[in-house]
Amino acid sequence: MIEKPLTPEDVEFVTTLHGEERISFVVLMQPRGDQADVLLRAIDDVALGELKEAVRENEEPEGRDAQEPAAVALEYSLQELRKAGAEAVGQVVEDHPLDRLKSVVEESGADEVIVLTAPHYVEEFFHRDWASRARHKVGVPVLKLFAHNE
């Protein structure tokens, strides 16, 4: 599960996690939606020392407006994973991302879930971040990795 396009560093990291083993990815792109609280994101930005980002939080597209940028980010990420030699398919998740994640794990027979995300300190503190919530839902190991910045 990702929240933004994979950087070259992210692609290298996830495609080399298991050494030379051939791997495939089912990528779920979670766009910014109504469930992502602007205040929580701003607090995270301040905690990271990114004050300018905190001020701009309300400028980021959300909900329906975030669907097209999410689709573009997903396609870019899939192409980069394929260039690195991995099999990769994916989809933008509009509603109930953890339910969709669980069904993808079951349908694909996934061995593990990787949640690649920016730090979300407030949500992590209360174990409300995607990885913490997924651990209680999907039935396979969940690896939380922090995405690299552009």
Side-chain angles (χ1 to χ4, degrees), residues 86-103:
E87 294 178 29
V89 296
Q91 62 185 265
V92 175
V93 179
E94 295 183 36
D95 296 314
H96 310 292
L98 293 176
D99 291 338
R100 186 63 194 130
L101 180 61
K102 181 179 180 179
S103 65

Side-chain angles (χ1 to χ4, degrees), residues 15-127:
T15 58
T16 60
L17 277 172
H18 298 286
E20 298 297 316
E21 184 179 334
R22 181 100 171 125
I23 54 173
S24 61
F25 295 91
V26 178
V27 181
L28 299 181
M29 175 70 183
Q30 174 60 46
R32 291 167 64 119
D34 297 332
Q35 80 282 356
D37 185 355
V38 175
L39 177 60
L40 290 178
R41 289 192 311 263
I43 291 170
D44 286 338
D45 289 336
V46 170
L48 290 169
E50 298 173 355
L51 299 178
K52 290 180 183 178
E53 293 298 319
V55 173
R56 284 190 228 128
E57 279 299 335
N58 65 343
E59 297 171 10
E60 292 291 325
E62 292 189 1
R64 287 203 173 286
D65 294 338
Q67 295 301 310
E68 185 176 339
V72 171
L74 173 64
E75 188 55 38
Y76 170 81
S77 298
L78 294 175
Q79 288 174 7
E80 293 303 304
L81 288 166
R82 291 176 191 137
K83 282 184 200 175
E87 294 178 29
V89 296
Q91 62 185 265
V92 175
V93 179
E94 295 183 36
D95 296 314
H96 310 292
L98 293 176
D99 291 338
R100 186 63 194 130
L101 180 61
K102 181 179 180 179
S103 65
V104 165
V105 166
E106 291 169 353
E107 292 164 10
S108 67
D111 295 323
E112 71 181 350
V113 168
I114 299 172
V115 176
L116 193 66
T117 181
H120 299 292
Y121 294 116
V122 175
E123 292 172 345
E124 290 168 23
F125 180 79
F126 292 106
H127 302 285

